[in-house]
Amino acid sequence: MKVNSNDKISLTLFLSVFIFSIIPFALNKLGIDFSSTTIPLPEPRSLLLDDLFYKLSGAFTHTILEWSAFSVAISIAVLGVVHFRVSKEVTVPVICIALFCAGSMDAFHTLAADRLIDSVADNKRLIPFTWAISRTFNALIIISGVSIFLLNPQLSKKAGFNFVITISLIFIVLAYVIIHYCATSQNLPETIFPDAFITRPWDVGPLVLYAFVCIPLIVKFNKIYPSTFSQALLLSMVPEIVVELHMAFGSKALFDNDFNIAHFLKIFAYLLPGMGLLLDYVQTFTRLEKTTHSLVEEKTKIKSIVDNAIDGIVTINSTGYIQSFNPSAERMFGYQEKDIINKNINLLVPKSYHEKHDGYSYFRKYKRTQLKNIIGFNQEVIGLCKDGSTLPLDLGITEVQLGNETFFTAFVRDLSQQKRLENEIKSREQLFSTFVNAAPVMMWMLDSHHKPIMFNETWLDFMGHTLEQELAYEWDSLKIHPEDKEPVMSQYYEAINHKKSFDQEYRLLRHDGVYRWIREVGVPHHENNTYKGFIGICLDVTQRKMDELKLHNYTQELERSNIELEQFAYIASHDLQEPLRMVSSYTQLLERRYKDKLDDDANEFIGYAVDGANRMQTLIQDLLAYSRVGKNKQILKRLELDPLIKNIILGLKLAIEESNVQINLPESFPQIMADQSQIQQLFQNLILNAIKYRAEERQCEININYQKVDKMWQFSIQDNGIGIETKYFERIFVIFKRLHSREKYSGTGIGLAVCKRIVEGHGGELWLESTFGSGSTFYFTIPIDL
Ligand code: ADP
């Protein structure tokens, strides 16, 4: 029998039941007779036992059929109780008991018919009457069984075994009362009218009840309490109705064709709910098996979780004895599960903690007071290992009620590593704060709301505050000099907004009321574009500021005195020229006119005077040239260097020829932006020096060249002269500094100083490379686009 799991009965199933129910009728129509043989009894004197059996065959058939139906009803009751034990659901057993009671009524009907129990009425009346009563009872008892749950849907959830028993007793008592009545009643009514259209009118009642009351009620019941059983019960109404049709409209006598068919189909009607119940049972069993299977799976999973958990998991019973101990706990405490099972939990608690940490006493206290002071998570405790060592643990305990037993599951996590890390962090923090406080600079930190969160000792000393006082201050209320406050604050916010560092100097009021110059360098800290805080370091730079101020004043003073000096040099040399020229020309005149008239000494003295005057003149001219370079404004214009250099060489022709000098030039020179007279003087001085400081033992050779280096023209004047020792490289550019005596090389020591001024005035540099005894190269640069 295949029944849908929903509340609809499939058409095929219905048709099958229907066809099965009308098969006997159809066969009957085809000529098969189901009535029991009735042979007329011979004279009593020749009555044979066999004849009696023949005579009783109808009663036997009736008994077999009825008894089969009753047996099925008994099985239904048994199955119903089993069903209740398995599913704890009361609707099915109540209806099963109802069916059983109906079956009992059938049994009584049979027993009475067979005269196995005492009954007073004769069989012709007793059998059809008790049949009709049984059927009516059957229909009514199904109606009552179903209605109980339809009228009170809560009952199916609340009711238990007692309810089933009570209902069963009521049904049984009812059945008994009816049976008793039938058995003791003498005048049972006539129920068979062979000649009427309705041959057994007493069967019309159950027919109507099945068709018009039972079916709608069971349909409704099936909707609310869908099960294979309720569907089968509904299906059983088909044979029930067919049974009653056979009886009400067919059966004309005991054991006739319709009588037997009806009895046979009644078995089928009982069988259907029985089979439904069996199927239900199979389904329930399959479901249970699946549940058990998934429970086993779940258990295996949980076991593997517990076994593989990082946390140690220990279960304890209510007397403090260990019930389970997972591998993590084994690793932590060093005990094997088998060794520690059924041992007191105090084994894992250091002695000094026994009272405090509860253990056994906890459970006693808990039992007494119900105070769950250790139930919960995140408690730090100390655990005792097998080897006697202790370890810090994070403990969580949950209480589990299994039946009447209370268990406690402890989850323990080893905190050693965490503690180690915490200590490390703590010591690093200490180290950090030691460094920070010992730092000779002031340090501070702000949080994302510009609230101070850290100041070092140096800062607190400066402010003369305690940390608490300083932390209470608003950053904005910092005592910055009023003139500096605005720029400092705007720079601070700009640093935050543009994620750049802050570097400012400002005046800050010290605790003694003195403003000190502070240099502050700070960095804003951002995370995912969100401002998180600021760290700053401040240095008291008041002394440096003072020094800078002093230096600035010195520099200004120096510049001023330099200018004065230059002016003095210029004026002095300019104004000295005239009297000097007079001295020089008159001493020369003296020399010319009185050379032969004076003695040798006088002539020699006059010679010295002339020489001195000449030298002084040269010196003054050079000095003038030097001060002019600084004094006169440069007139920059585009210069063609080719003709300029050629003119210089032409001007030096005499000296070049006298000293047999070879000058090598590049094919052409570039154009430069420069002051013509100054550039002319520059080249001239350098070329003249190269000639003057030539080496006597070789021909003087001068190479003038240039190249482009970055944005500069770099010129070089290279000679193969006497060279200069490296230690004098700086010195020769200082005014009046010379490396030789006047007797050996004439000169004033001003030439290179002039050159340096010219080059630097143009924004370039002048330097040299030289090898003493082999020659020197003077380099200078002039910017390409001035
Ligand atoms: P002066 O030539 O009048 O002494 P300068 O300022 O021109 O003064 O030169 C300073 C000194 O540098 C010179 O006295 C000389 O010793 C050295 N000097 C300059 N140019 C050369 C050179 N090309 N070779 C060697 N020594 C030189």
Side-chain angles (χ1 to χ4, degrees), residues 660-676:
N660 189 24
V661 179
Q662 158 89 38
I663 299 185
N664 302 316
L665 300 176
E667 275 190 7
S668 67
F669 280 100
Q671 285 187 343
I672 58 168
M673 283 294 282
D675 183 300
Q676 181 171 356

Side-chain angles (χ1 to χ4, degrees), residues 622 685-694 717 719 721-724 728 731-740 745-755 768 770 775-778:
D622 284 356
N685 280 4
L686 294 173
I687 295 168
L688 268 175
N689 273 355
I691 297 171
K692 195 185 339 174
Y693 299 107
R694 66 187 180 276
I717 290 96
D719 64 50
I722 59 172
I724 305 166
Y728 298 127
R731 199 179 154 171
I732 56 170
F733 293 107
V734 179
I735 190 165
F736 301 133
K737 293 285 180 207
R738 310 195 66 237
L739 303 181
H740 309 281
Y745 295 101
S746 66
T748 56
I750 296 176
L752 284 180
V754 171
C755 291
L768 79 148
S770 180
S776 316
T777 307
F778 283 82

